[in-house]
Amino acid sequence: MVDTPTLLVMKFGGTNMQGAAAIRHSASLVARSLNAEVRVVVVVSAMSGVTNLLLGVAEAGEKGDIAGANDMIAALRTRHFTAAQELGAAPDSATVRELRELLETLRQAVYGVYLLRELTARSRDLIVAFGERLSAPLMSLALEASGHRPHHLTGGQAGIVTDAHFGSARPLSSTAGRIRDRLGGLLDAGLTPVIAGFMGETEKGATTTLGRGGTDYSATIVGAALHASEVWAWKDVDGVMSADPRAVQGAQNIAQLSYGEVMELAYFGAKVLHPLAVTPLQDAGIPLRVKSAADPDFPGTLVTASPDTDSAHPVKAVTAIRGVSIINVSGAGFLGVPDVVADLFAALARENITLLMVSQSSSMSNVSLAILSSDEERTLEALGRPMGGRPMQLDVQREVAVLAIVGAGMRGTKGVSAKLFGALAGDDINILMISQGSSELNISVAIEGRDVDGATRTVHTAFGLDAAVVAS
Ligand code: ADP
Ligand code: ASP
Ligand code: MG
């Protein structure tokens, strides 16, 4: 067991791992904290762009384009070997041998997909997790170069055992004990574990992934298991911001958020954290800090249980999900038949379809569902059968976006929705659906996809979130 007074889990994202210089800098951020009293467990993402490239490799294999797949693997080889060399690895070093072996195993896995012309969720996970497996040894090199004693492991080796929902696997309850067993000894021996994020493995040893952006989640799973003092997610932004800084120039850092607020933000499209990332931390109340790698002294965002409401800013952030479709379900006799509604939700649950918004007309003659367009085909198939014994009519509206405002201070504050609708109306933006969560942590609206950027900026300004406004 870990008996150190302070244990930090530090997560580094793709940008923080994008090449030798970034990795060296990330290692220096670990080194700043690491000393006799503070132990650090490091969790790393793949180098930026690598996960998408691996998805491309897997698809090329499935399509029969083995030459294309091998070219992409060659590009991966060059990128990782170059970084290893720049981090001081000799051509015959153990790290270079390890990278070579990993790339060879990847090549074999892709060749299997090519021979079968079949890419299952299971094989896709195996292939896509190579990004993190390849970047962990690079972080080890950088930590070694700064005089530390790292030891890198895959997510599975670190003890993350999951269900078999490939592509969106969830940790099993045995994970926490296993992580303590696997990492406790390393920490007691004075080693710094470096874990390949994003991935775990099933009881039978098949590689799984936790969903896109899953390294945040790996870090919090490990942090909770080890009863860490804090989990720090180092990012290429100042922290969690009042809007995606790529969409809204005036977006500003949010100093404090509650676990619930972060979950709402991530669920409604803020890519900064995996939607489930805070869940492992909630019970133990372990704080999560989101910090800027470029400005390590800046406090960033502190995420804890207490919501810290600021009455001047009941809304803390605006976020949006693009690529949404609305399915309008109607049918003769829908009216007041509970079986219809029960069948409908059961069909969606069976298909594991994420419902972004639901609204039912008060006459109960139709139900509108906002879903990700990528789930549209499966949704139409799931709802294509009679519901409660009655045939349903399905109409689809595409190119929709869901915009959400988030903040615990909205609870009990009057006039928030009026301000939202007023701001959107002022910009002549048509609202297609409305929903307010009963938690009152968010209000979300579905709008035309083409309006989303402008609407986000307008709403951000309307709630006084632009940096200049808040600073004044
Ligand atoms: P990492 O690899 O470190 O996890 P990501 O690219 O997954 O980094 O997440 C960081 C990115 O999330 C930022 O570059 C930013 O564009 C985007 N983002 C979207 N919404 C927000 C928000 N509200 N606050 C901060 N970043 C956001
Ligand atoms: N590399 C994975 C992704 O791009 C996991 C992560 O970065 O968190 O989704
Ligand atoms: Mg991420």
Side-chain angles (χ1 to χ4, degrees), residues 11-14 44-47 49-52 128 131-132 197-199 211-218 235 271 274:
K11 178 259 173 174
F12 294 93
V44 295
S45 288
M47 295 173 106
V50 165
T51 304
N52 286 342
V128 85
E132 274 68 10
F198 185 39
M199 60 183 302
R212 295 307 303 267
T215 304
D216 300 316
Y217 195 20
S218 309
K235 297 270 168 182
K271 192 192 153 210
H274 185 284

Side-chain angles (χ1 to χ4, degrees), residues 293-304:
D295 188 4
D297 293 324
F298 185 74
T301 301
L302 175 64
V303 186
T304 59

